[in-house]
Amino acid sequence: MSTTTTSQTPESEGPGRHGRLIQNEATTEIPVHLLFRDESDPVSVPLRPTVVGRRHGTGEQPRLRRPSPAKPRFVPQVDPELGERPARVLPGAAGLLAGVCGAAGCVAASWWAGVLPPLAVAALRLPAYPGAGLGPLQWAAYAGAGALGVLGFGGLARGRTGRAWVLGLFGRYRGTVRRTGLMWVNPLLLRRRVDVRLRHWRSEPMPAVDGDGVALRVVVLVVWRVRDTARAVLGIDDHETYLRECVEAALARVPVEAPGGTRTQVEESRAALTRLTAADAAPVGLEVFSVQPVRIEYAPEVAPAMHRRRVAALDARHRASVLTSVVDSVEDTVTRLTVRGLVDLDDYERKALVRDLTVAFCAGRGERVP
């Protein structure tokens, strides 16, 4: 009588059967059919990434954390519909012609009314006319000719290179004039002159800090210009004051290298100041090319302490360089004397020679032996 022992072996799971799972308190659930597959072209099973908590001594991976999104930086906004556009103007010849016609009309109305002086009649070579008097028609002719002359001569304007006019009518923006030369602009429009040339501004000493938080006073040179005249004039109260405040805000956010910083650090600080100031000034129509510190000094409350610290650092650096030079000179002298066989020294004599040479070299350089 034979006893048959049945051993259970894992069978391949078919696609239609529910996969058995291996589960442990320290692992996630893993389908068995993913470990033992007999299909030549198995069906891909989408798996979702699992995040587990780390347990000391189990070898588990640490919990995966998604990086927190960066907080959006505040950007000033102005009216999106407010933007520079060219204004409608006429050549200056049109205004001159209208003004001359208006003046000629006034003279003709005076001659018609008979109020033109005889000398003017003779100078203009007009025929003698007794005049019809100042009636309604004459006054209407006076009004029309006078209005034409005032509009013609009153609208004449001269455009200059690097200057622009922002035009407005009853509080509404009507366009910007960047043309040069003589032109005619509607005299009813309000004109605001804007300088659009490349400009530079040297600030007064502004508060700042270095990388260690030490208070500084910085004078910066800003190179800028007005790019959008409509936003610079109408979108803000005073664009020059706003630019000054933007520079001061950038100095409060960017550490400025203290006196004695490397060229690379100074360039990085200048680039950061320029980038922040340009980003803040762009929405109001200002274009900033460079914000460069031209004078950096410590604040009055920390200047004496930082001056003593700087002098001490320079003195220590100088002493270290002198000591290194003396040690190299002594080592070279002793080595040459020994190699050439000029002296035969034991340890005590070598130490005495090194001490005497060190004292001699330091005395020759005007330094005291530490």
Side-chain angles (χ1 to χ4, degrees):
M1 181 176 180
S2 61
T3 304
T4 304
T5 304
T6 303
S7 60
Q8 296 181 358
T9 59
E11 300 178 357
S12 61
E13 298 289 338
R17 299 178 58 185
H18 180 70
R20 289 176 293 177
L21 303 177
I22 298 177
Q23 185 173 359
N24 189 283
E25 62 178 2
T27 62
T28 57
E29 296 181 354
I30 304 176
V32 177
H33 70 275
L34 294 180
L35 302 178
F36 307 96
R37 289 181 290 186
D38 297 334
E39 295 84 4
S40 59
D41 188 12
V43 180
S44 60
V45 179
L47 297 178
R48 302 175 64 182
T50 305
V51 179
V52 299
R54 183 178 179 87
R55 296 183 181 179
H56 296 285
T58 60
E60 298 178 8
Q61 296 296 328
R63 183 180 298 275
L64 302 179
R65 297 179 181 271
R66 293 184 179 180
S68 59
K71 296 182 180 180
R73 181 172 172 270
F74 172 76
V75 178
Q77 298 290 338
V78 296
D79 187 0
E81 299 181 357
L82 183 61
E84 180 178 331
R85 62 177 184 269
R88 298 179 180 179
V89 296
L90 297 178
L96 286 175
L97 179 61
V100 170
C101 291
C106 290
V107 172
S110 300
W111 174 78
W112 182 22
V115 296
L116 192 65
L119 294 178
V121 174
L124 295 175
R125 297 181 180 181
L126 296 176
Y129 182 72
L134 292 174
L137 296 179
Q138 286 75 16
W139 283 114
Y142 266 123
L148 182 61
V150 169
L151 289 177
F153 289 121
L156 292 177
R158 184 181 61 175
R160 298 181 180 181
T161 304
R163 304 292 179 88
W165 277 321
V166 177
L167 306 181
L169 180 62
F170 304 119
R172 184 179 180 183
Y173 174 61
R174 304 299 297 179
T176 300
V177 179
R178 288 180 178 261
R179 295 177 55 178
T180 58
L182 188 63
M183 68 190 75
W184 183 86
V185 183
N186 188 351
L188 299 179
L189 297 178
L190 177 62
R191 309 175 191 177
R192 297 183 181 181
R193 187 181 296 274
V194 184
D195 191 346
V196 295
R197 296 174 294 181
L198 189 66
R199 304 170 63 183
H200 69 277
W201 168 64
R202 185 185 180 95
S203 71
E204 65 279 358
M206 293 184 173
V209 295
D210 63 0
D212 297 330
V214 180
L216 302 174
R217 290 293 182 270
V218 181
V219 177
V220 297
L221 180 66
V222 184
V223 181
W224 64 286
R225 71 174 179 182
V226 176
R227 179 176 51 86
D228 192 316
T229 56
R231 293 191 173 188
V233 175
L234 303 177
I236 197 170
D237 186 18
D238 187 357
H239 59 274
E240 295 184 1
T241 304
Y242 181 79
L243 177 63
R244 188 177 298 110
E245 299 296 337
C246 289
V247 173
E248 188 171 357
L251 286 174
R253 288 178 288 176
V254 177
V256 181
E257 289 302 321
T262 62
R263 184 182 297 272
T264 302
Q265 294 173 343
V266 173
E267 289 297 328
E268 291 178 354
S269 176
R270 184 189 65 83
L273 286 175
T274 303
R275 182 176 63 256
L276 290 178
T277 307
D280 290 341
V284 297
L286 303 181
E287 187 174 6
V288 178
F289 297 96
S290 175
V291 180
Q292 183 174 358
V294 294
R295 191 178 69 188
I296 304 174
E297 57 187 11
Y298 291 105
E301 59 271 15
V302 299
M306 298 306 299
H307 178 69
R308 291 192 298 269
R309 178 181 176 182
R310 182 171 176 80
V311 170
L314 291 176
D315 183 68
R317 189 182 307 171
H318 175 68
R319 286 180 177 274
S321 63
V322 170
L323 184 60
T324 301
S325 177
V326 168
V327 171
D328 293 341
S329 300
V330 171
E331 181 183 6
D332 183 65
T333 301
V334 174
T335 302
R336 288 186 178 185
L337 291 175
T338 305
V339 170
R340 294 183 181 182
L342 298 178
V343 293
D344 188 10
L345 305 173
D346 55 11
D347 293 340
Y348 177 78
E349 293 175 343
R350 181 184 293 273
K351 292 179 180 179
L353 179 60
V354 168
R355 183 178 65 251
D356 296 339
L357 290 177
T358 302
V359 173
F361 286 154
C362 288
R365 295 176 178 268
E367 295 289 337
R368 294 183 303 174
V369 180

